[in-house]
Amino acid sequence: MPSVTTDEILTQVNSQLNDIGYIRWPKDELLSYFNFAQKAVVLRRPDAFAVDIDEFICVRGTKQTLPNDALRLIDVPANFSGNVVRGPYDKNALDSNYPAWRGGKDADDAELYLYDERNPKTFYIYPGVTQGAKLNVIHSAAPPRVTRQQNDDGKLIDLDDIYENALTEWILYRCYSKDAEFAANPAKSQMHLDAFKTQLGEKSQADSAVAGKTIKE
């Protein structure tokens, strides 16, 4: 659970900028950067803001669509019955062994799930289920925008405290990007962006850590 407030992060950034009184970078501007920073973290670490749906209601068949606020699928651990769902399963292997698998519509529980990150809001299950079958689904989502009033009221950040440094580095990157006309600031901006990436690792590594290995057997 987070324990750091958005205002504590903005104060820390302001201190590093040495901008007493928030003159060069007003607090509203820093808060805007903070909102973008949380999204930038989730883009690289989808598990940073995960939504766990205990009763995801399926449509009939194999093709399922995540909620509108979802960014990408993280996992489908089990059916509502408690039976485990294995995956992510390799599509080519399923195509080879069960060419007509997409036509299934009558199962009570799914056994496998398939996911392609090129189509992030859609996933497939096998066998295809009846209308209203339920799954436990975990997906990432964009953190809600923090308003100035929420910030002033002591709003906690939506991500875990472990991302505090990464958020700070990304906001500083944006701040110095604004002042690119000053000779030293492009280098400072890049330095903070590099630090942000170092904090999180590259997105591909994060995705691999979250997704795990595809089942091909």
Side-chain angles (χ1 to χ4, degrees):
M1 293 292 292
S3 62
V4 178
T5 68
T6 61
D7 199 56
E8 285 174 329
I9 289 184
L10 301 191
T11 300
Q12 180 179 342
V13 169
N14 176 262
S15 176
Q16 293 193 45
L17 292 171
N18 197 27
D19 183 27
I20 300 174
Y22 295 91
I23 304 302
R24 184 67 186 90
W25 294 276
K27 181 170 281 191
D28 285 341
E29 182 177 348
L30 296 183
L31 183 59
S32 175
Y33 292 161
F34 169 83
N35 284 317
F36 284 121
Q38 289 207 122
K39 293 178 182 178
V41 168
V42 174
L43 176 65
R44 290 163 175 82
R45 287 298 305 263
D47 57 326
F49 194 74
V51 177
D52 192 337
I53 304 175
D54 288 330
E55 297 185 37
F56 175 88
I57 300 175
C58 298
V59 298
R60 190 181 185 198
T62 58
K63 183 179 180 180
Q64 307 297 325
T65 303
L66 293 173
N68 290 334
D69 65 339
L71 296 179
R72 56 149 290 173
L73 182 71
I74 293 178
D75 194 13
V76 183
N79 294 277
F80 184 68
S81 65
N83 291 329
V84 170
V85 180
R86 301 176 65 204
Y89 199 83
D90 182 70
K91 176 181 176 297
N92 291 331
L94 195 59
D95 288 345
S96 297
N97 293 319
Y98 306 99
W101 69 270
R102 289 176 182 266
K105 302 176 181 178
D106 301 318
D108 293 324
D109 280 355
E111 298 176 13
L112 312 169
Y113 80 91
L114 303 87
Y115 183 65
D116 187 340
E117 291 181 20
R118 296 172 297 181
N119 189 13
K121 296 203 174 188
T122 299
F123 68 98
Y124 291 84
I125 52 176
Y126 171 82
V129 295
T130 58
Q131 177 74 33
K134 297 178 182 179
L135 298 170
N136 174 209
V137 171
I138 303 172
H139 67 80
S140 67
R145 178 178 173 273
V146 178
T147 66
R148 177 61 185 270
Q149 184 62 56
Q150 289 173 320
N151 176 78
D152 293 347
D153 288 343
K155 171 76 169 62
L156 296 175
I157 64 175
D158 291 298
L159 309 185
D160 194 271
D161 288 350
I162 196 172
Y163 297 108
E164 178 182 358
N165 290 340
L167 292 169
T168 299
E169 296 292 353
W170 202 91
I171 298 171
L172 287 167
Y173 147 69
R174 285 296 301 267
C175 288
Y176 286 118
S177 294
K178 170 184 175 178
D179 270 357
E181 65 271 20
F182 294 100
N185 284 350
K188 289 182 179 180
S189 176
Q190 186 61 49
M191 177 186 70
H192 288 293
L193 180 59
D194 290 344
F196 169 77
K197 292 178 179 179
T198 299
Q199 289 279 339
L200 299 178
E202 292 299 326
K203 184 179 185 300
S204 59
Q205 296 173 338
D207 287 345
S208 296
V210 172
K213 295 182 179 179
T214 299
I215 299 172
K216 297 183 179 181
E217 61 186 46

